[in-house]
């Protein structure tokens, strides 16, 4: 969950920062829900501290983080 998402430009800024992280395969941004879904490459993981840093660098606030294992 990310606070401050309001437009496609906001989504682009966050996607750019998260996509630059090692191991990121894909980033989806859902503006209305304020959700950002990051899919990692096989064997890679994203921790909350790294996600928070990337989101804050983009000018937004990480308001929730949930790690989900692939099925």
């Amino acid at each position: 969950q990310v606070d401050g998402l309001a437009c496609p430009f906001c989504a682009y800024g966050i996607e750019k920062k998260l996509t630059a992280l090692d191991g990121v395969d894909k980033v989806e941004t859902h503006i209305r829900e304020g959700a950002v879904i990051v899919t990692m490459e096989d064997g890679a993981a994203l921790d909350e501290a790294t996600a928070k840093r990337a989101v804050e660098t983009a000018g937004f606030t990480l308001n929730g983080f949930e790690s989900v294992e692939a099925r």
Side-chain angles (χ1 to χ4, degrees), residues 41-70:
E41 296 171 352
D42 287 341
L46 178 63
D47 62 82
E48 186 170 359
T50 302
K52 183 176 182 174
R53 237 182 345 266
V55 169
E56 288 179 351
T57 300
F60 301 91
T61 302
L62 185 66
N63 196 26
F65 181 89
E66 181 181 349
S67 180
V68 178
E69 293 296 319

Side-chain angles (χ1 to χ4, degrees), residues 1 9-10 18 20 27 29 33 36 38 41 47 52 63 67:
Q1 290 300 114
F9 185 73
C10 298
L18 289 170
V27 178
T29 306
E33 295 85 9
V36 179
V38 179
E41 296 171 352
D47 62 82
K52 183 176 182 174
N63 196 26
S67 180

Side-chain angles (χ1 to χ4, degrees), residues 16-31:
K16 186 175 176 182
K17 294 295 182 185
L18 289 170
T19 301
L21 297 175
D22 287 339
V24 172
D25 182 44
K26 179 174 77 170
V27 178
E28 292 177 55
T29 306
H30 301 275
I31 296 169

